[in-house]
Amino acid sequence: TDLSHIRNFSIVAHIDHGKSTLADRLIQMTGTVAERDMQEQLLDSMDIERERGITIKANSVRIEYPAKDGETYILNLIDTPGHVDFAYEVSRSMRAVEGSLLVVDATQGVEAQTLANVYTAIEADHEIVPVLNKIDLPASEPERIAEQIEDVIGIDATDACLISAKTGVGIPDVLEAIVTRLPAPTGDRDAPLKAMLVDSWYDPYLGVVVMIRVMDGVIRKGDQILMMQTGAKYGVDKLAVLRPKMQDIAELGPGEIGILTASIKQVRDTRVGDTITHQKKPCDTPLPGFKPSQPVVFCGLFPVDNAEFEDLRTAIEKLALNDASFTYEMETSAALGFGFRCGFLGLLHLEVIRDRIEREYDIELITTAPSVIYQIHMRDGTEIELHNPADMPDPADIDHIDEPRIKATIMVPDEYLGDVLKLCQDRRGIQEDLTYAGSRAMAVYDLPLNEVVFDFYDRLKSVTKGYASFDYQLSGYRTDNLVKMSVLVNEEPVDALSMMVHRDRAEMRGRAMCEKLKELIPRHMFKIPIQAAIGGRVIARETLSAMRKDVTAKCYGGDATRKKKLLEKQKAGKKKMRQFGRVEIPQEAFINALKME
Ligand code: GTP
């Protein structure tokens, strides 16, 4: 295809502002999919995405659009993940296209993720077309929001498209704007092949599918290719475009986007951002800015029922096939038995994987406290990367500990600002900036990641009644006074509950943990001390008093069925119990104890 008749773009939006609905409309209006095949939210292929309303895996579609100038254009939409955990993938897919539609909900305005993603688009030199969505709603204020876009983001919004992705109003204008306002790609057909690996996923029928954007040269079926960063070599088995159904194609030239398969065994053999070239006549230099995404949050996943360990292994292996940024290794815990220590890009990533294991594989899980990666500098000059508090070396041998910090951007209506600032302060945040745009405030904080991985999102949502939006980037490591806090139940350490905390917050955390456990652990026939400790020193303590009578005692004299029922209920409850020395702790206790206030 002639380069001047190609437009490549992505859609930048905050969650729920209508990205998927708009994408569906664009596909529908260009007749790419027959009406009867049109399914709500075509691009969000996984159920879980649909349910949570988030787009996890990048996907793409090729649209043919007969424009008003009488010419037919090929529009390639690359769908980018909308969440902070996937910032690196977003920045990669942005490099594969020349422009973005900036979709802003005209009833809501600019949010933290809008900002983060639009800056990524600006960094990638995109031409940006602002699109104000949901103008069918009476509460929409397109003029005010257009002004806000200009004030906050600093791009011209006078020619913003006013649309309703729901009713279809304004969609033709968006299609025209893509053709007339976004630039065509450039590239040299005669140069050696240079293509970007934009995304990859596992398909049960095809194996690993790789999405590519050709920069220079031409790729054809049967070509012998080389992935420049990983050094892996393959033969191209299949070349296709997504419309959105797969359609085989003979070749892909400069500016084009498509998919290939090449007998690649697992997704982790492909690296997003890698450069694909020919083995015989490779290009001189790979594309710039490649860095493989690294997990930043770790936690243990254990089956509630030990017998399900093998099922858990299968589930984890399957999920990892399709997700190169999810890492795992086997872990044994004195308390929880066999499980896996898993690494994630962030908390949302963790939540998604955990939910999928529980729902798609029907395995009940115990998740241990999430941990970040600490850099432990030992007295002997060596350095250790600590992913798991259980592996903490003897404090006597440690010189100092560095922890990862983030730069967080929070946007919130004025009236909740006070609560947000207090929350950030409580989490050891340092304010870097505070600005206003209309009645919304934007606060920028430098925060320790370990204070965010617990329940920061949840707290933020609850103190702002859901009105705040949040985005973050890792900003580096800093030395701080960090210690490992252990939890002991009946004098037995429960490794799954140990965590790294700041020394100044240890007592508070310890007290809260002990109080919670006291409520969560059922009484036994004996008294149970519950303690939090740093090293050998107890910093908080609660005592769970002994049960006075047998539970069935109150049924004495009652009818036998009731007594039987009660015993059965106890038995069912037992399955979800864990034995710690002489104490049984219910599964919920772990889950709830780890949700710290
Ligand atoms: P993520 O996939 O989570 O990033 O969300 P999204 O930006 O793709 O938003 P989505 O398209 O799922 O839309 C979010 C909600 O807004 C859905 O309930 C849509 O039906 C609704 N919605 C989208 N566009 C419009 C619109 O123009 N008008 C109205 N009234 N509702 C809309």
Side-chain angles (χ1 to χ4, degrees):
T1 316
D2 172 11
L3 282 168
S4 66
H5 286 69
I6 301 177
R7 297 291 182 276
N8 298 321
F9 69 105
S10 59
I11 304 179
V12 166
H14 186 72
I15 282 172
D16 277 349
H17 283 201
K19 184 172 79 174
S20 308
T21 313
L22 173 60
D24 290 352
R25 277 285 166 206
L26 294 175
I27 294 169
Q28 192 186 28
M29 288 234 175
T30 51
T32 305
V33 184
E35 200 70 36
R36 67 188 138 77
D37 289 343
M38 191 69 196
Q39 225 195 69
E40 274 277 303
Q41 312 245 319
L42 261 175
L43 286 183
D44 287 357
S45 56
M46 289 195 292
D47 279 353
I48 190 152
E49 289 188 5
R50 207 169 298 168
E51 244 173 69
R52 297 189 153 234
I54 50 163
T55 308
I56 297 163
K57 210 68 205 159
N59 217 327
S60 91
V61 64
R62 173 166 164 147
I63 299 168
E64 265 176 38
Y65 170 60
K68 286 198 180 129
D69 64 7
E71 306 278 321
T72 295
Y73 290 82
I74 287 181
L75 314 183
N76 287 306
L77 163 62
I78 288 193
D79 189 21
T80 54
H83 195 272
V84 301
D85 289 355
F86 304 94
Y88 172 73
E89 297 191 6
V90 175
S91 82
R92 281 304 90 193
S93 23
M94 295 269 188
R95 299 260 168 204
V97 298
E98 288 75 26
S100 284
L101 303 179
L102 166 64
V103 175
V104 180
D105 183 334
T107 67
Q108 303 286 327
V110 174
E111 295 289 351
Q113 264 148 31
T114 322
L115 273 183
N117 287 338
V118 85
Y119 287 142
T120 314
I122 291 169
E123 266 170 43
D125 278 333
H126 279 194
E127 202 58 50
I128 293 164
V129 175
V131 175
L132 300 174
N133 190 27
K134 306 199 188 182
I135 57 160
D136 59 299
L137 294 175
S140 74
E141 301 175 88
E143 276 126 63
R144 190 176 71 78
I145 304 301
E147 253 175 59
Q148 193 204 17
I149 290 176
E150 297 193 342
D151 287 352
V152 179
I153 304 175
I155 58 172
D156 186 5
T158 37
D159 292 324
C161 300
L162 304 188
I163 70 159
S164 165
K166 191 172 175 182
T167 66
V169 167
I171 303 297
D173 298 342
V174 176
L175 286 163
E176 272 305 301
I178 292 169
V179 168
T180 58
R181 290 165 64 181
L182 300 185
T186 54
D188 181 356
R189 203 180 158 82
D190 300 320
L193 175 66
K194 184 185 264 189
M196 185 200 282
L197 197 162
V198 183
D199 191 15
S200 62
W201 61 92
Y202 186 82
D203 181 285
Y205 300 104
L206 297 169
V208 176
V209 176
V210 173
M211 185 162 92
I212 59 163
R213 152 70 199 266
V214 179
M215 301 297 176
D216 290 317
V218 179
I219 186 168
R220 296 183 179 86
K221 190 177 160 176
D223 282 358
Q224 297 299 308
I225 54 165
L226 165 74
M227 314 265 197
M228 293 180 84
Q229 302 287 354
T230 59
K233 292 174 178 176
Y234 300 100
V236 178
D237 294 333
K238 182 187 183 70
L239 204 59
V241 289
L242 301 172
R243 323 193 49 193
K245 281 203 182 122
M246 231 171 254
Q247 189 177 76
D248 284 353
I249 198 164
E251 59 167 57
L252 287 170
E256 293 198 278
I257 291 170
I259 59 128
L260 64 81
T261 65
S263 313
I264 301 168
K265 295 249 160 36
Q266 37 177 357
V267 169
R268 60 192 67 239
D269 296 335
T270 61
R271 292 296 170 85
V272 170
D274 203 345
T275 306
I276 296 174
T277 190
H278 283 132
Q279 292 170 23
K280 279 249 173 68
K281 201 180 144 207
C283 57
D284 297 339
T285 47
L287 296 157
F290 172 81
K291 71 170 199 302
S293 51
Q294 297 287 352
V296 293
V297 175
F298 291 80
C299 77
L301 297 181
F302 293 85
V304 169
D305 181 354
N306 262 327
E308 289 188 322
F309 173 73
E310 284 304 325
D311 297 340
L312 177 61
R313 183 204 294 280
T314 308
I316 283 180
E317 281 171 355
K318 281 217 180 113
L319 289 172
L321 263 186
N322 210 0
D323 187 344
S325 40
F326 164 51
T327 64
Y328 63 95
E329 59 185 50
M330 221 184 101
E331 180 183 17
T332 36
S333 148
L336 302 177
F338 291 109
F340 292 92
R341 187 80 189 162
C342 300
F344 308 90
L345 292 179
L347 263 199
L348 180 98
H349 190 205
L350 186 164
E351 244 181 75
V352 167
I353 299 255
R354 190 188 57 204
D355 278 17
R356 291 190 63 186
I357 293 172
E358 293 200 325
R359 281 200 279 174
E360 293 171 28
Y361 298 89
D362 202 23
I363 301 168
E364 264 190 289
L365 292 175
I366 293 174
T367 316
T368 64
S371 171
V372 299
I373 303 176
Y374 297 93
Q375 287 171 355
I376 311 228
H377 297 264
M378 306 296 285
R379 285 197 197 283
D380 65 9
T382 55
E383 201 181 295
I384 297 173
E385 281 204 344
L386 184 77
H387 297 185
N388 188 347
D391 302 331
M392 174 86 162
D394 185 344
D397 298 334
I398 297 175
D399 185 67
H400 65 279
I401 303 179
D402 292 346
E403 67 171 342
R405 296 186 70 99
I406 60 166
K407 185 177 151 175
T409 304
I410 300 164
M411 298 193 75
V412 64
D414 254 356
E415 65 250 55
Y416 304 110
L417 181 64
D419 293 321
V420 170
L421 298 186
K422 181 168 181 312
L423 176 66
C424 292
Q425 225 77 55
D426 286 349
R427 300 303 173 95
R428 299 192 282 134
I430 300 164
Q431 195 182 94
E432 289 194 336
D433 198 13
L434 183 60
T435 48
Y436 292 87
S439 63
R440 284 179 83 78
M442 182 174 94
V444 179
Y445 266 85
D446 172 36
L447 280 156
L449 182 61
N450 103 334
E451 298 286 347
V452 174
V453 296
F454 279 96
D455 60 346
F456 189 82
Y457 295 146
D458 291 349
R459 298 290 306 148
L460 185 66
K461 258 188 260 160
S462 86
V463 301
T464 63
K465 304 205 163 58
Y467 284 113
S469 59
F470 173 74
D471 196 87
Y472 75 84
Q473 258 162 301
L474 286 172
S475 59
Y477 273 78
R478 210 170 73 191
T479 307
D480 220 321
N481 190 0
L482 298 152
V483 291
K484 173 181 160 182
M485 184 178 86
S486 318
V487 174
L488 298 95
V489 175
N490 203 25
E491 318 283 342
E492 298 261 349
V494 182
D495 53 359
L497 295 177
S498 67
M499 61 176 78
M500 299 292 296
V501 290
H502 192 268
R503 186 64 191 86
D504 293 348
R505 293 175 44 82
E507 260 99 53
M508 194 207 67
R509 270 264 165 83
R511 250 197 323 275
M513 177 68 95
C514 292
E515 280 166 19
K516 253 195 172 153
L517 284 173
K518 186 182 171 187
E519 282 168 32
L520 294 165
I521 300 174
R523 290 186 186 195
H524 284 56
M525 303 303 289
F526 45 90
K527 211 162 66 177
I528 303 172
I530 301 169
Q531 299 159 308
I534 298 172
R537 209 168 75 77
V538 172
I539 53 166
R541 179 193 171 104
E542 291 283 333
T543 306
L544 184 63
S545 50
M547 191 157 48
R548 258 168 258 136
K549 286 186 195 105
D550 190 280
V551 236
T552 56
K554 60 173 171 274
C555 298
Y556 184 74
D559 68 296
T561 40
R562 215 181 122 208
K563 189 163 171 176
K564 207 172 132 210
K565 255 193 200 145
L566 190 60
L567 284 172
E568 261 166 21
K569 225 165 120 195
Q570 279 185 332
K571 226 166 92 195
K574 271 244 166 67
K575 275 208 295 210
K576 297 188 183 176
M577 294 281 190
R578 285 284 174 174
Q579 193 77 35
F580 292 88
R582 293 165 63 212
V583 181
E584 280 185 331
I585 306 181
Q587 182 224 154
E588 281 81 16
F590 287 99
I591 296 168
N592 292 321
L594 293 169
K595 276 191 200 141
M596 293 295 285
E597 181 50 26

